[in-house]
């Protein structure tokens, strides 16, 4: 069964710093990988979607990479802002499956 | 704009009553919708897959008679928590998947509190 792990569980950085969130998964037979952010008491907002054939995706200050063979993905956030404070979740979709397997999340706090 | 909506956003009910949560796909027709629940400071747990026009598929350990799912149209799925108990208090989130990109979109969630 696919297991998704995110490290660190929590991260606190000063405003303006660049940071990297890590996600690892045990089964490399994935269809795609998605990064989400979740604000307290809210639903999930999709940040980036990487198909299994892609190596990275960029959106604004966010860059996500995917190394399927090693079972890893990273989310890079440049020039962090207090508004980036949230929990970040990665999730993988198995090939042939409908649902997502979620990581446990990284709670990010950006200090002004 | 929002791709998925949920109603209500927050509900408080008494133990023993039933609560219905609606999930609507706004941007595209969804033959499949997913229902998750999330406990405080935990990740999402898939409860069931809702299929338009047929029975839902429940994950192991999820009581299908307690969590009734109806997916009567391509844009609406409902989750009914029957005979709710305080341990059913949780955050319930639905989602849909784009048939083209397989990107998954989530609703804003429903906070259920059973007193």
């Amino acid at each position: 069964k696919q297991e998704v792990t995110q490290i660190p569980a929590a991260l606190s950085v000063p405003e303006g710093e660049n940071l990297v969130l890590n996600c690892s998964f045990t089964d490399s037979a994935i269809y795609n990988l998605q990064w989400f952010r979740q604000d307290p008491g809210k639903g999930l907002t999709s940040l980036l979607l990487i198909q299994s054939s892609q190596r990275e995706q960029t959106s604004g200050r966010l860059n996500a990479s995917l190394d399927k063979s090693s079972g890893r993905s990273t989310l890079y956030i440049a020039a962090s802002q207090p508004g980036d404070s949230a929990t970040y979740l990665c999730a993988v979709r198995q090939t042939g499956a409908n649902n997502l397997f979620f990581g446990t999340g990284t709670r990010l706090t950006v200090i002004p | 704009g929002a791709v998925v909506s949920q109603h209500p956003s927050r509900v408080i009910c008494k133990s023993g009553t039933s609560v219905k949560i609606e999930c609507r796909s706004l941007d595209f027709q969804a033959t499949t919708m997913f229902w998750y629940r999330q406990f405080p400071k935990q990740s999402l747990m898939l409860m069931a897959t809702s299929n338009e026009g047929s029975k839902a598929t429940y994950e192991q350990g999820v009581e299908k008679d307690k969590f009734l799912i109806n997916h009567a149209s391509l844009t609406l799925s409902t989750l009914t928590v029957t005979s709710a108990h305080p341990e059913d208090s949780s955050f319930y989130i639905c989602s849909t998947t784009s048939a083209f990109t397989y990107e998954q979109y989530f609703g804003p969630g429903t906070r259920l509190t059973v007193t």
Side-chain angles (χ1 to χ4, degrees):
Chain A
K1 183 185 174 185
Q2 178 73 268
E3 290 184 9
V4 183
T5 306
Q6 289 186 246
I7 295 173
L11 179 65
S12 187
V13 299
E15 182 177 1
E17 201 163 285
N18 303 325
L19 59 102
V20 174
L21 307 180
N22 297 291
C23 172
S24 61
F25 46 95
T26 55
D27 188 342
S28 61
I30 66 170
Y31 187 85
N32 62 32
L33 182 146
Q34 226 171 321
W35 281 94
F36 298 90
R37 91 172 255 168
Q38 185 177 29
D39 294 287
K42 305 290 184 183
L44 275 65
T45 300
S46 180
L47 298 173
L48 289 163
L49 169 72
I50 310 178
Q51 303 293 353
S52 62
S53 58
Q54 297 174 323
R55 298 282 290 185
E56 66 178 336
Q57 283 287 330
T58 299
S59 176
R61 294 182 295 108
L62 306 179
N63 176 278
S65 69
L66 174 64
D67 184 342
K68 202 172 74 163
S69 60
S70 68
R72 295 184 183 187
S73 175
T74 61
L75 179 67
Y76 174 83
I77 302 177
S80 58
Q81 302 171 358
D84 295 331
S85 298
T87 295
Y88 289 80
L89 295 158
C90 77
V92 300
R93 179 184 304 280
Q94 291 291 105
T95 302
N98 254 334
N99 60 299
L100 293 176
F101 289 89
F102 278 90
T104 47
T106 294
R107 190 167 73 252
L108 172 66
T109 303
V110 181
I111 304 165
Chain B
V3 178
V4 182
S5 70
Q6 274 183 251
H7 178 80
S9 58
R10 189 179 294 266
V11 57
I12 301 172
C13 70
K14 292 186 176 179
S15 188
T17 62
S18 295
V19 174
K20 180 186 283 189
I21 302 170
E22 293 186 349
C23 175
R24 293 184 185 274
S25 176
L26 304 177
D27 275 12
F28 48 82
Q29 295 179 331
T31 55
T32 302
M33 297 173 118
F34 303 93
W35 286 96
Y36 294 81
R37 68 187 295 182
Q38 185 179 35
F39 291 106
K41 298 188 178 181
Q42 294 188 23
S43 193
L44 279 72
M45 182 194 82
L46 179 67
M47 298 176 65
T49 301
S50 168
N51 304 298
E52 188 266 335
S54 65
K55 291 182 179 180
T57 304
Y58 290 82
E59 295 298 300
Q60 193 172 8
V62 178
E63 299 176 58
K64 63 180 182 181
D65 294 329
K66 180 166 186 63
F67 298 100
L68 300 179
I69 290 172
N70 184 279
H71 194 155
S73 79
L74 288 171
T75 58
L76 174 64
S77 175
T78 60
L79 168 68
T80 302
V81 183
T82 62
S83 187
H85 287 103
E87 57 264 32
D88 297 324
S89 298
S90 188
F91 193 55
Y92 293 86
I93 313 176
C94 69
S95 75
T96 65
T97 302
S98 165
F100 299 103
T101 64
Y102 287 94
E103 183 167 4
Q104 198 150 334
Y105 300 94
F106 286 79
T110 296
R111 171 74 58 195
L112 170 63
T113 304
V114 185
T115 61

